[in-house]
Amino acid sequence: MTNSDTVSPTDFIREIIDADLAAGKNDGRVATRFPPEPNGYIHIGHAKSICLNFGIAAQYGGTCNLRFDDTDPSGESLEYVESIIDNIRWLGFDWEDRQFFASDYFERLYQFAVRLIEAGKAYVCDLSADEIREYRGTFTEPGKDSPCRNRSVEENLDLFRRMRDGEFEDGSHVLRAKIDMASPNIVMRDPVIYRIKREPHYRTGNTWVIYPMYDFAHCLSDAIEGITHSICTLEFENNRPLYDWILDQLLEGDRPRQIEFARLNLSYTVLSKRVLIELVREGYVEGWDDPRMPTVAGMKRRGYPAGAIREFCAQIGVAKNDNLIDVALLEHCVREELNEKAPRAMAVLRPLKVVIDNYPEDVTEEFECANHPQNPEMGTRMLPFSREIYIERDDFQEDPPGKYKRLAPGREVRLRNAYVITYESMVKDEKTGEVVELHCSYDPETKNAPPADGRKIKGVIHWLSARHAIPAEVRLYDRLFQVPNPAAGDDDFTRSLNPESLETLKNCFVEPALRDATPGSRCQFERLGYFCVDSRDSAPDRPVFNRVVALRDTWGKMSDKG
RNA sequence: UGGGGCGUCGUCAAGCGGUAAGACACAGGAUUUUGGUUCCUGCAUUCGGAGGUUCGAAUCCUCCCGCCCCAGCCA
């Protein structure tokens, strides 16, 4: 599926699977699942889990199901289901016909709950939410039994049926597993497994007023689907005894096994669902697919290739250590793929006009340019040249620092794929003193050739023929947060937002070949970075480009240091 | 505080009793019509700490320290 996945990674989860296989468990089957709750868009952290689950299934000749864990109607919606399906497909994974919903199991789960009651392992509790909390005890004190704990099976069955039938108010009754109110693990102190919630479900509508809790629904959904290895994140480690307990009461033979790994944390970004939702709702970004968002939809729109995300997930590994991955690694993976695959193009973001005085006014030349310097198979394109061109403002300095090798008074520079030009004079705005135009001369002998006298031209800059350049809008993105670990501390995340995460440049130019660039297509603007045609706002007469990621910039680093 | 986890380079991460892989980052240098790419080079005498076992310990034992998770009718 991916050329970068040639080396199968090894990690503690695969070691467990190897051992299970060696022990003859599950008849040699490996079945995983990715179980999102459809109450938000998936992000790069989910991508790690997706790559893990689908990757393991592929590696072991097994299967990976997509299952929506939709047991709490509040906040869940079809929009999220659809976005999740789209995003996983885009990431490059396929679950064939194995798309499931926990909500499709509601009737079976109900029957499992009835069996639990019949076995004397669950009871209907009348305590209020507050009372249940009080009865639960604390880390250091054991809990107390609910007064309802010893109801008869018959009464429990009757009450539970009436809960389902809608006879009771929301919150007036719950179904609880009867385990151990003195357990040192709070999860095991008679956990709630069903609650009454009169809220329409986006799939089952009003047919249910009771909904199973995660701990009850998840393990049984895994069992129903024949999952062998149920991979989840570390915060569920405390829940594993409950996962096993429920299955022990209800099932015999091979059972799914829960394995926990450390979730992804990314520097300078936040992956908390709560914060992501707030960023969208409060308008700090323009939507779930804002190119600054760490969502799969955002990264796709930004122009990150799916393969780069997969490669990133392979690179970071899987372990149980808390981690904070340097976002530079993600950017590295993006550059690595784009360097190989993105055709080169010319664009000027902050134009400065240059008149080449000794070049004829009515002439247009066309230069044949390679689409990729290292890969001739990517072909060539024609680039027009004329007397007036635009260069990048940054590529001229009146009083340049030491190692500057671009245009300056008295200097010469190579125009990429064209001639060597020499500075002659500049025109300044009388009021502001700003340089508004340059005059240069060109050396006709240097067309695609070094200067005849053998002198070395150090600098190469990009340019565009003013007459032929296509106006474009370019959006420069930077990290959304200014601090390395915005999730640390309970500070208001708003304060660590980067006010300069988006810079919109409206007066840019791109080469004519890009006039009709396909939305979503990517190229490298030479010397600037990788760019992607925005799939939402770009129009044929007015292309809009998103900067995917800048090129590595050793010069920028040097000059930053002074 | 009771329970459950985790501590190996700046950041990830291999290592599974035989003497510290790799990646990113960083720093030098070479090549270059992208200050890109590519290519070399450097980057943990030491594995949270202290004891112990052993010919030999990041790996085994003991104690200590630090960080994360759990007291939703969320997942």
Side-chain angles (χ1 to χ4, degrees):
Chain A
M1 168 167 316
T2 75
N3 50 13
S4 52
D5 296 351
T6 45
V7 182
S8 23
T10 178
D11 54 64
F12 78 99
I13 295 178
R14 282 172 241 250
E15 281 176 7
I16 290 171
I17 293 172
D18 288 339
D20 285 350
L21 254 19
K25 291 188 187 168
N26 305 303
D27 308 317
R29 250 176 355 102
V30 172
T32 60
R33 100 270 92 116
F34 175 64
E37 185 188 11
N39 66 350
Y41 277 56
I42 54 169
H43 53 64
I44 183 81
H46 294 105
K48 176 182 180 183
S49 173
I50 290 165
C51 290
L52 219 207
N53 279 292
F54 281 94
I56 282 174
Q59 183 183 339
Y60 288 91
T63 52
C64 179
N65 298 350
L66 172 60
R67 179 171 75 234
F68 291 94
D69 217 341
D70 52 358
T71 56
D72 178 3
S74 39
E76 296 171 358
S77 76
L78 205 55
E79 180 204 346
Y80 293 131
V81 168
E82 285 164 354
S83 74
I84 291 167
I85 289 171
D86 272 4
N87 291 165
I88 304 174
R89 286 232 174 86
W90 177 76
L91 280 171
F93 299 103
D94 181 20
W95 51 98
E96 297 171 320
D97 58 346
R98 298 180 313 281
Q99 179 168 301
F100 304 114
F101 295 83
S103 53
D104 283 346
Y105 306 144
F106 281 171
E107 181 59 39
R108 292 166 82 177
L109 294 171
Y110 177 85
Q111 295 304 334
F112 274 123
V114 167
R115 280 180 50 199
L116 214 49
I117 294 171
E118 287 168 346
K121 302 288 189 170
Y123 61 96
V124 172
C125 182
D126 310 344
L127 259 25
S128 70
D130 285 345
E131 289 167 327
I132 286 181
R133 190 180 322 115
E134 284 166 30
Y135 276 63
R136 190 152 34 218
T138 68
F139 290 147
T140 47
E141 308 154 36
K144 304 184 291 196
D145 286 0
S146 161
C148 311
R149 200 170 200 262
N150 292 314
R151 282 219 248 244
S152 70
V153 168
E154 291 66 33
E155 191 182 1
N156 281 319
L157 251 16
D158 178 60
L159 255 13
F160 188 47
R161 197 208 79 241
R162 290 161 64 195
M163 280 170 63
R164 172 182 184 160
D165 290 346
E167 286 190 28
F168 306 120
E169 296 288 295
D170 286 17
S172 61
H173 300 267
V174 292
L175 184 69
R176 293 228 252 167
K178 191 171 178 177
I179 308 180
D180 177 9
M181 288 308 291
S183 171
N185 180 356
I186 291 184
V187 170
M188 299 298 271
R189 319 239 262 229
D190 288 12
V192 173
I193 56 177
Y194 264 91
R195 75 285 214 183
I196 304 172
K197 203 165 196 165
R198 276 180 182 70
E199 187 148 355
H201 187 281
Y202 75 101
R203 294 189 83 241
T204 61
N206 296 311
T207 74
W208 291 90
V209 296
I210 57 172
Y211 294 96
M213 298 286 289
Y214 165 84
D215 286 305
F216 189 70
H218 199 90
C219 55
L220 289 168
S221 301
D222 283 343
I224 287 168
E225 293 176 19
I227 300 303
T228 58
H229 300 272
S230 181
I231 300 166
C232 63
T233 44
L234 244 30
E235 65 269 27
F236 291 102
E237 213 150 19
N238 295 319
N239 300 51
R240 191 171 66 228
L242 179 54
Y243 183 104
D244 291 335
W245 184 90
I246 293 171
L247 295 184
D248 282 346
Q249 312 309 310
L250 267 6
L251 260 40
E252 284 168 10
D254 283 335
R255 294 195 291 269
R257 168 176 187 175
Q258 176 178 305
I259 305 169
E260 312 85 9
F261 71 97
R263 68 187 319 145
L264 167 69
N265 298 295
L266 240 202
S267 67
Y268 297 97
T269 110
V270 164
L271 298 180
S272 124
K273 202 171 253 186
R274 192 208 103 228
V275 173
L276 260 24
I277 287 174
E278 213 170 317
L279 285 169
V280 172
R281 282 225 238 283
E282 303 301 316
Y284 295 107
V285 296
E286 281 155 34
W288 286 102
D289 68 345
D290 187 297
R292 292 166 292 181
M293 289 284 274
T295 51
V296 173
M299 295 187 296
K300 174 185 176 187
R301 185 167 167 208
R302 172 84 167 255
Y304 284 17
I309 295 170
R310 275 186 245 118
E311 175 62 17
F312 170 74
C313 291
Q315 292 279 330
I316 59 179
V318 180
K320 299 186 75 161
N321 304 331
D322 280 343
N323 59 74
L324 184 62
I325 309 286
D326 193 339
V327 69
L329 178 61
L330 213 208
E331 294 174 345
H332 163 80
C333 293
V334 171
R335 287 193 189 101
E336 190 174 54
E337 175 158 344
L338 258 19
N339 174 53
E340 191 193 329
K341 295 184 179 159
R344 313 286 120 129
M346 222 76 111
V348 175
L349 269 33
R350 297 174 175 88
L352 173 62
K353 183 175 277 188
V354 176
V355 179
I356 299 164
D357 294 327
N358 61 339
Y359 194 88
E361 261 181 64
D362 48 358
V363 170
T364 294
E365 270 186 278
E366 293 224 310
F367 297 110
E368 184 174 19
C369 305
N371 288 331
H372 191 115
Q374 276 83 37
N375 183 3
E377 285 179 16
M378 288 178 76
T380 62
R381 67 195 189 284
M382 302 309 285
L383 194 63
F385 180 84
S386 62
R387 187 169 191 263
E388 294 192 356
I389 62 172
Y390 294 120
I391 66 167
E392 208 68 60
R393 292 206 87 88
D394 276 0
D395 288 338
F396 172 78
Q397 274 196 43
E398 203 176 336
D399 186 18
K403 289 177 177 162
Y404 192 78
K405 52 185 208 190
R406 309 173 191 179
L407 205 52
R411 301 219 199 167
E412 59 185 0
V413 74
R414 165 135 243 146
L415 295 178
R416 166 124 250 235
N417 293 122
Y419 298 106
V420 172
I421 58 171
T422 304
Y423 170 92
E424 297 295 343
S425 64
M426 67 180 117
V427 179
K428 287 185 177 178
D429 183 297
E430 282 180 20
K431 284 182 219 126
T432 64
E434 182 193 19
V435 178
V436 293
E437 187 176 295
L438 255 31
H439 286 260
C440 292
S441 59
Y442 86 114
D443 177 353
E445 304 299 310
T446 56
K447 175 176 170 179
N448 252 309
D453 62 6
R455 69 186 193 280
K456 281 268 183 265
I457 309 295
K458 281 181 300 186
V460 180
I461 65 172
H462 54 96
W463 56 276
L464 242 24
S465 163
R467 244 200 340 262
H468 307 273
I470 308 293
E473 175 177 324
V474 173
R475 298 167 183 172
L476 268 19
Y477 297 103
D478 197 357
R479 41 189 61 145
L480 239 194
F481 292 88
Q482 298 174 291
V483 296
N485 188 5
D490 50 0
D491 279 342
D492 176 10
F493 73 84
T494 285
R495 282 198 291 269
S496 51
L497 280 171
N498 176 7
E500 288 163 7
S501 59
L502 167 62
E503 184 179 6
T504 303
L505 302 175
K506 296 197 179 267
N507 303 310
C508 310
F509 294 103
V510 298
E511 63 173 78
L514 255 25
R515 182 196 304 271
D516 302 313
T518 315
S521 65
R522 291 172 280 246
C523 61
Q524 183 197 94
F525 290 163
E526 292 203 50
R527 301 213 306 133
L528 296 172
Y530 298 97
F531 292 79
C532 177
V533 181
D534 189 73
S535 43
R536 198 184 281 286
D537 301 329
S538 201
D541 53 321
R542 176 101 188 154
V544 175
F545 292 87
N546 298 321
R547 185 173 67 191
V548 184
V549 63
L551 256 25
R552 280 185 67 221
D553 182 10
T554 47
W555 167 249
K557 265 175 206 160
M558 281 171 67
S559 35
D560 284 350
K561 285 178 193 163

